[in-house]
Each structure stands twice: as C-alpha cells, then as structure tokens.
Amino acid sequence: MLDLNEVAMFVQVARSGSFAEAARRLSVPSATVSRRIQQLEARLGTRLMQRSTRKLTLTSAGESFHERCGPAVEELIEAGQLHVANSAEPSGMVRVAAPTSFFDFFQMEWVQAFLAEHPLVRLDFVLSDLLVDLIADRIDIAFRGGPLQDSCYVARRIFASYGELIASPAYLSTHGTPVTLEDLSEHECVVQSDASGSATWRLQDSDGVESEVRVRGRFNSNAQEVLRKAACAGLGIAALPSILTASDIAAGRLVRVLPQYTRAGRGLSIVYPSRQQRPLAVSTFADMAVEKLSRQDWAPSSGA
C-alpha cells in the first residue's frame, strides 16, 4: 500500500525542483525527503527521478505518476491551507526579492504598519537588479518589472507603469530645454545603451501616436536607479518610469521634459515560486503591497 505522505513529498519535490526546497517548504530535513522518495520508488518498483549534484528531473514513469497524483495532492493541500488560514495568524519569515530602487517608491511606513499589525511576521528583503532564482535563493515573493520570462512562476500584475523624460534644472539651465523630439539628438542623454553607446526611445504623444528617437550620451548604465541619480546630478536627460521619479519631481530635483510625450511602461508584478503551500504571511504581505501600490497614481501628468 502506498504511503500518502510519501506521495505528497514526491509531488512537492517535483513542483519545487529540488529536495532542499521541498524540505524547506515541508519543514523537514532534506535527508528525510530523499529517504521517503527512495521508499516510494521501492514500493512502486520503478525510478521516479534522476538525480545529480546540480539537477533533478523526472523519469517518464515519474512524469506519468505526477500527472495522475499531482492534482489530487494539490487539492488536499489547498483544502488544508484554507482550513488553517481561516484560523491561523500570519507568522514566520517572508523573504522578498525586489529591485535596488524598491524603497524609493515602496514606503517604509507601509512596512512599519504591516509589522505592527502582524507581530509574528518577519521580513527579509533581498535587493538586487539581477533576476534571482526564487527557488534556489529561497524567495517567497518577488517584485519584478517588465515581461516575465519564467513561465514556471506564478505572477500577479499590480499596475502598468509609464515612463517620462526628465532632467535636472541645472542641466536644462546650462544646455537648454528641448522643444521637439528631434532636439533630443543634440542633448546628452543618460541611457541603457546598446553596444554602440546609443539607445532608441519609443515615445507616444497625447493622441497615442508613437515615434522613435535615437539618443546617446557619455554616461550609460544597465540600472535604472543609477540613471535616476545621474539625471539628478545633471548628467543628461533620462527616460524613466514615473514610479521612480515621482519623489524627485515633487522635491524639485528633476523636472519633466517634453511632457506631452510618455513612454509605455512594462508594469510591475508580484511573482511567486509556486501556487502550492503559500504561507498566510506571504499572502497577507502580497495583498498589502498590491493594495498600497495600486492606489498610487504613477502616471505622469500632462503639465510640466
């Protein structure tokens, strides 16, 4: 007779992609998970997984077994989670991956209020402009902009952002203010450049008509936060999401250039490593973040 606990462990390993991650989610030693999977394989008389030091893959028998038992195990887990969630208080560690500029637009007061309301929750923020492996780095939730390339992850869109052209008052005082898109080619621009040191900005006017303009400058970076700081320092005109520039514009460190044009953004999403076994603390934090961020008006105004 099959041991249902072993079947559930197998499904968790298959979904997680590693024994270590499955063990973390199940709160058991990794050696225990490995041993129970071996016992399950012995009961079935077939190998379900191919293991190596760097990769774990399902055999054809493992894939067939997962297709048959995975949905049933998932329903049982979700039923149990629903029961626990209705009676439990959010608790435990939530590891959050986000861009380095995250706290430029995510207010620390929101974090303080969340922790005060949920005293059993701890937050660990991993800030990087590089995409992290949610499973390998034990990330519970990630904030990502742009298109999502990891189809194995579960995404939740928060909002669509917009980009705007901005520069420091000091730069415009020295170099003048562009009046047309064509004028941008005569200005220093801080850009995420290609190999030639230039970039193409696709902009649209208030009627939705799109235009392309080729720009270049002597300061380039692949990090938007660095471009924002460069623009504040007067190194040139930048095209950045309004979510990153709102506070600088309000403080007068930056002003909008050619405000009749905007740059279609790629939005911000919350990404989870899996649909299964999402702790209540993770769901509660995600709901708070979506509620706070979606209430902000990140769209640039039409006036300067």
Side-chain angles (χ1 to χ4, degrees):
M1 180 179 295
L2 291 180
D3 186 323
L4 294 181
N5 288 323
E6 293 173 355
V7 175
M9 284 187 177
F10 165 76
V11 171
Q12 190 61 256
V13 172
R15 298 288 172 85
S16 303
S18 73
F19 286 101
E21 176 59 18
R24 186 183 77 86
R25 296 184 184 182
L26 295 171
S27 299
V28 298
S30 182
T32 299
V33 176
S34 179
R35 175 172 53 81
R36 298 298 293 272
I37 297 302
Q38 290 176 357
Q39 292 173 350
L40 176 61
E41 290 176 326
R43 296 180 197 276
L44 294 173
T46 186
R47 193 170 186 84
L48 300 174
M49 298 177 173
Q50 297 290 355
R51 310 164 180 83
S52 70
T53 57
R54 300 184 62 182
K55 190 174 182 181
L56 183 150
T57 58
L58 297 181
T59 64
S60 58
E63 290 178 350
S64 177
F65 187 67
H66 181 262
E67 289 176 358
R68 287 176 174 270
C69 66
V73 171
E74 181 177 339
E75 289 182 5
L76 288 173
I77 292 174
E78 290 181 350
Q81 287 180 329
L82 180 61
H83 173 75
V84 172
N86 287 335
S87 59
E89 182 178 357
S91 63
M93 173 72 77
V94 179
R95 280 175 58 82
V96 183
T100 55
S101 59
F102 184 69
F103 285 104
D104 287 342
F105 57 85
F106 195 88
Q107 299 178 24
M108 197 62 73
E109 290 79 5
W110 300 343
V111 176
Q112 189 278 331
F114 177 83
L115 292 177
E117 184 177 356
H118 305 290
L120 300 181
V121 176
R122 292 178 296 150
L123 298 176
D124 180 16
F125 284 90
V126 180
L127 302 182
S128 174
D129 289 327
L130 301 177
L131 293 182
V132 299
D133 185 319
L134 272 61
I135 294 176
D137 294 320
R138 298 181 294 109
I139 300 298
D140 296 299
I141 182 175
F143 291 85
R144 289 186 174 176
L148 301 175
Q149 301 175 352
D150 299 302
S151 59
C152 61
Y153 296 153
V154 180
R156 178 181 180 184
R157 174 59 65 93
I158 303 176
F159 58 79
S161 62
Y162 296 85
E164 54 189 344
L165 303 178
I166 46 87
S168 71
Y171 173 85
L172 297 177
S173 176
T174 301
H175 300 278
T177 300
V179 179
T180 67
L181 289 182
E182 290 73 19
D183 292 342
L184 291 174
S185 62
E186 305 298 325
H187 281 265
E188 286 287 326
C189 295
V190 291
V191 298
Q192 292 178 291
S193 65
D194 56 23
S196 69
S198 60
T200 298
W201 288 346
R202 183 183 294 274
L203 304 165
Q204 62 182 27
D205 61 20
S206 56
D207 295 324
V209 178
E210 290 192 349
S211 302
E212 287 188 353
V213 58
R214 193 75 170 165
V215 297
R216 61 185 303 125
R218 292 181 295 157
F219 184 93
N220 306 323
S221 175
N222 66 339
Q224 291 184 329
E225 172 64 6
V226 174
L227 297 179
R228 183 190 67 81
K229 291 181 178 180
C232 289
L235 296 183
I237 299 171
L240 293 172
S242 54
I243 190 174
L244 296 182
T245 59
S247 61
D248 290 313
I249 290 175
R253 292 184 291 269
L254 294 172
V255 296
R256 295 185 176 96
V257 176
L258 297 172
Q260 67 272 32
Y261 290 96
T262 58
R263 205 176 176 202
R266 297 181 178 180
L268 184 71
S269 299
I270 284 181
V271 180
Y272 306 95
S274 173
R275 295 184 187 275
Q276 285 71 47
Q277 290 188 292
R278 191 176 301 161
L280 182 59
V282 173
S283 298
T284 303
F285 176 79
D287 290 342
M288 180 277 291
V290 170
E291 189 270 334
K292 294 294 187 181
L293 289 171
S294 61
R295 287 172 53 186
Q296 309 301 306
D297 183 11
W298 305 113
S301 63
S302 58

